């Protein structure tokens, strides 16, 4: 006979469509727990912007759980190594017979979860694990050779073929349970963080995530395919931070999108199909973490690129970080990141390729800087995007594909609206000059000269990759 059920929340901070919570509630009274591991999070590169959102997400989860009379306990474990023993002691003290949680896929997370599972089972407690943050679990989609996919397009085709009603069914939100005598929720101690994000722009919690999803599908998605690459246009969902911490599930997003696409996944409205494919990209990168764990350990996916000779120029890297490269679109994008903790996806590609191709600086430097500042920073998507730009990853951009930041600017910010939003010194210039100001204009505006010539940098990158 089952006793109290302990539900361990990590990057799944929601009560809707939560497999572990739903299944636990079917077995007995539920108690929730979050493990707070700030030293581990810092070691993994998360900065104050992400951590601020994370803590506020836990606070919002506590409120949602309270509506179900589910108490939330907090364990301040500092590192993953401290989690197994602390969780077991909590479970035993609360007379829990079962532990439920959703899997995570980084190497350290998987090691921690195996240690927890083993310790609980050694002490005659049941462990229930699921892959509720994905539609298809890692290992469920493989090539004809039973290997993990290395390229997105065949993965996407296999995903579309495999996904059915069962995979897209949403888990029920538990009913309000009877109070558990003697068990109260813990009060979250909010740490002092120096976050750059405007909390009014990034309210944490499921309610905000679901509101953004509804607004996007009602008003924005119709322009998604045409305008998603234009940083000044508000055409994206801005759900990435909520998906990264599981305040909303990909199944909820896909189900809602299908509801506006005649219940279709891979065809129909081009903008909706395009957005769904972006959700599948996020899932693909989680599969990559499991199938190729080296990417969790600062290693390139394309193993032959280990020998690439990256430049170690801290001067150029510092200029890139500060948004002082002399290329307006690159600099405006970096200042957006520093000021807001977020960057438009097209600009993530432009800035990453500038660092790795124009400056030939190690993609790991940029990956680390992004993760330190992004409110939506997440290992799989961040690593995948950086390695794509550096031509070291899955679906790697061919080494000879090198974005010209000036033509990218002219194409995706034609009037320079985005540029002057973050580089107001260039606002007096005619719109056509905002993309590449002349020398005298730079001097008048106090804007720096380019730190590298595009043509020369391109040739240098091509020579370096050809040598590899």
């Amino acid at each position: 006979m089952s006793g109290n059920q302990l539900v361990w929340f990590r990057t799944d901070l929601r009560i809707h469509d939560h497999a572990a919570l739903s299944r636990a509630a079917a077995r007995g009274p539920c108690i929730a727990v979050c493990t707070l591991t700030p030293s581990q999070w810092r070691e993994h590169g998360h900065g104050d912007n992400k951590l601020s959102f994370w803590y506020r997400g836990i606070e919002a989860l506590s409120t949602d759980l309270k509506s179900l009379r589910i108490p939330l306990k907090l364990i301040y474990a500092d590192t993953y190594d401290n989690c197994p023993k602390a969780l077991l002691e909590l479970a035993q003290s609360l007379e829990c017979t079962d532990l439920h949680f959703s899997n995570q896929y980084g190497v350290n997370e998987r090691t921690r979860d195996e240690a927890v599972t083993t310790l609980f089972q050694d002490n005659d407690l049941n462990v229930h694990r699921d892959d509720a943050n994905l539609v298809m679990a890692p290992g469920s989609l493989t090539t004809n050779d039973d290997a993990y996919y290395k390229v997105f397009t065949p993965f996407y085709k296999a995903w579309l073929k495999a996904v059915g009603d069962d995979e897209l069914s949403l888990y029920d939100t538990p009913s309000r349970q009877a109070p558990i005598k003697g068990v109260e929720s813990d009060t979250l101690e909010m740490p002092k963080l120096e976050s750059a994000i405007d909390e009014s722009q990034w309210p944490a919690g499921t309610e905000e995530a679901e509101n953004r999803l509804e607004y996007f599908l009602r008003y924005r998605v119709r322009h998604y395919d045409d305008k998603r690459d234009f940083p000044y246009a508000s055409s994206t969902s801005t759900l990435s931070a909520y998906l990264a911490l599981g305040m909303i599930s990909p199944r909820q997003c896909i189900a809602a999108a299908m509801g506006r696409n005649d219940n279709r996944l891979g065809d129909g409205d081009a903008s909706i199909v395009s957005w769904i494919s972006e959700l599948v990209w996020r899932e693909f990168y989680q599969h990559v973490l499991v199938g190729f764990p080296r990417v969790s350990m600062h290693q390139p996916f394309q193993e032959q690129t280990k020998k690439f000779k990256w430049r170690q120029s801290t001067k150029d890297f510092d200029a890139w970080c500060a948004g002082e490269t002399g290329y307006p679109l690159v600099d405006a994008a970096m200042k957006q990141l520093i000021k807001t903790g977020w960057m438009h996806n097209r600009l993530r590609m432009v800035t990453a390729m500038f660092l790795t191709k124009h400056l030939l600086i190690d993609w790991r430097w940029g990956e680390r800087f992004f993760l330190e500042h992004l409110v939506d920073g997440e290992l799989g998507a961040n690593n995948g995007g950086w390695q794509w730009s550096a031509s070291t990853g899955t679906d790697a951009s061919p080494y000879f594909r090198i974005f010209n930041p000036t033509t990218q600017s002219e194409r995706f910010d034609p009037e320079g609206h985005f540029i002057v939003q973050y580089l107001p010194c260039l606002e007096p210039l005619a719109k056509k000059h905002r993309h590449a100001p002349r020398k005298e204009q730079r001097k008048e505006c106090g804007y720096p000269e380019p730190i590298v010539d595009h043509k020369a940098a391109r040739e240098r990158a091509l020579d370096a990759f050809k040598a590899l």
Side-chain angles (χ1 to χ4, degrees):
M1 184 175 180
S2 297
N4 291 335
Q5 306 293 300
L6 188 62
V7 185
W8 185 15
F9 288 83
R10 293 94 71 81
T11 52
D12 49 358
L13 304 180
R14 65 182 185 274
I15 61 172
H16 305 312
D17 189 38
H18 194 291
L21 179 61
S22 181
R23 290 169 178 167
R27 296 177 68 91
C30 292
I31 300 169
V33 61
C34 283
T35 49
L36 306 173
T37 54
S39 291
Q40 191 80 49
W41 294 338
R42 294 287 188 189
E43 184 181 323
H44 285 183
H46 298 296
D48 284 3
N49 295 335
K50 171 72 175 287
L51 295 182
S52 170
F53 190 62
W54 205 328
Y55 278 96
R56 289 187 291 114
I58 294 172
E59 201 169 44
L61 173 66
S62 180
T63 300
D64 290 342
L65 290 168
K66 186 177 180 180
S67 69
L68 303 178
R69 289 190 180 141
I70 297 175
L72 174 63
K73 308 301 290 183
L74 301 171
I75 293 176
Y76 294 85
D78 203 39
T79 67
Y80 288 166
D81 289 342
N82 298 326
C83 289
K85 182 180 178 182
L87 282 165
L88 178 64
E89 290 175 351
L90 178 68
Q92 291 173 331
S93 69
L94 296 173
E95 299 181 351
C96 296
T97 58
D98 299 72
L99 174 68
H100 304 256
F101 62 87
S102 307
N103 289 321
Q104 291 181 289
Y105 307 107
V107 167
N108 291 342
E109 287 78 5
R110 292 168 65 196
T111 300
R112 173 204 59 197
D113 292 350
E114 287 299 327
V116 169
T117 299
T118 298
L119 184 61
F120 269 65
Q121 291 175 342
D122 287 347
N123 284 271
D124 298 323
L125 297 180
N126 302 312
V127 177
H128 311 270
R129 303 170 60 166
D130 62 70
D131 294 280
N133 280 335
L134 301 178
V135 174
M136 300 297 297
S140 62
L141 296 178
T142 55
T143 66
N144 292 333
D145 298 327
D146 291 327
Y148 278 78
Y149 283 97
K150 298 180 179 181
V151 178
F152 174 73
T153 299
F155 174 88
Y156 178 52
K157 291 178 179 178
W159 188 94
L160 287 173
K161 186 176 180 180
V163 169
D165 292 341
D166 289 345
E167 287 77 19
L168 294 175
S169 296
L170 304 183
Y171 288 91
D172 293 334
T173 304
S175 302
R176 199 178 190 202
Q177 68 182 24
I180 301 177
K181 187 176 180 179
V183 183
E184 301 292 335
S185 292
D186 294 333
T187 301
L188 178 64
E189 299 174 11
M190 298 293 284
K192 293 182 179 180
L193 299 169
E194 296 181 5
S195 173
I197 64 173
D198 181 349
E199 293 186 5
S200 67
Q201 297 297 313
W202 294 100
T206 291
E207 182 178 1
E208 176 66 19
E210 293 177 349
N211 287 342
R212 289 188 181 215
L213 174 61
E214 181 180 1
Y215 186 87
F216 171 69
L217 291 175
R218 180 173 295 181
Y219 299 110
R220 290 183 175 179
V221 76
R222 71 190 71 172
H223 305 299
Y224 181 77
D225 209 34
D226 296 330
K227 296 185 177 181
R228 63 175 176 154
D229 284 324
F230 293 81
Y232 198 71
S234 298
S235 58
T236 61
S237 70
T238 67
L239 281 170
S240 54
Y242 299 88
L243 285 163
L245 287 176
M247 296 175 192
I248 193 168
S249 76
R251 271 193 307 270
Q252 288 175 281
C253 295
I254 292 169
M258 289 176 63
R260 293 182 179 272
N261 192 34
D262 296 327
N263 208 38
R264 290 185 286 181
L265 265 177
D267 60 352
D269 186 288
S271 285
I272 294 177
V273 171
S274 180
W275 186 64
I276 290 174
S277 74
E278 293 299 317
L279 295 173
V280 183
W281 264 108
R282 296 180 64 88
E283 186 149 313
F284 171 60
Y285 284 138
Q286 297 301 313
H287 284 235
V288 169
L289 290 179
V290 178
F292 309 94
R294 60 181 175 272
V295 302
S296 292
M297 298 181 281
H298 312 295
Q299 296 299 315
F301 180 86
Q302 303 288 349
E303 293 186 280
Q304 74 275 13
T305 61
K306 286 181 180 180
K307 299 177 182 179
F308 192 86
K309 301 297 183 183
W310 299 104
R311 295 176 63 240
Q312 306 294 310
S313 174
T314 55
K315 179 183 178 182
D316 285 354
F317 179 67
D318 289 345
W320 177 84
C321 292
E324 297 175 354
T325 69
Y327 285 87
L329 187 64
V330 173
D331 293 344
M334 295 305 295
K335 289 186 183 297
Q336 179 187 37
L337 174 62
I338 295 166
K339 184 177 180 180
T340 70
W342 188 81
M343 187 190 288
H344 187 278
N345 187 60
R346 164 61 56 170
L347 302 183
R348 297 188 196 203
M349 293 189 287
V350 171
T351 55
M353 197 168 288
F354 186 88
L355 183 72
T356 57
K357 300 292 179 63
H358 282 74
L359 302 182
L360 281 187
I361 289 176
D362 197 326
W363 57 270
R364 283 161 284 218
W365 291 23
E367 179 194 23
R368 182 171 59 249
F369 187 83
F370 266 33
L371 199 58
E372 183 182 345
H373 288 83
L374 286 170
V375 66
D376 63 358
E378 183 271 318
L379 173 61
N382 189 50
N383 179 275
W386 270 96
Q387 294 219 47
W388 179 89
S389 297
S391 300
T392 64
T394 64
D395 278 79
S397 172
Y399 73 85
F400 50 82
R401 180 188 295 164
I402 301 174
F403 286 169
N404 181 328
T406 302
T407 57
Q408 288 283 308
S409 177
E410 292 168 342
R411 181 179 178 187
F412 296 114
D413 188 28
E415 297 189 346
H417 288 318
F418 176 80
I419 286 173
V420 299
Q421 182 179 356
Y422 292 98
L423 297 174
C425 66
L426 299 182
E427 190 167 11
L429 300 183
K431 294 174 182 177
K432 66 179 181 179
H433 292 308
R434 292 172 178 174
H435 310 288
R438 296 169 179 166
K439 190 167 187 176
E440 63 273 14
Q441 292 172 325
R442 292 172 184 269
K443 189 173 182 180
E444 291 173 4
C445 295
Y447 184 66
E449 289 289 317
I451 62 174
V452 66
D453 175 73
H454 167 68
K455 185 177 180 180
R458 185 177 186 277
E459 291 303 318
R460 179 175 64 179
L462 291 175
D463 289 343
F465 276 93
K466 286 177 182 176
L468 176 66

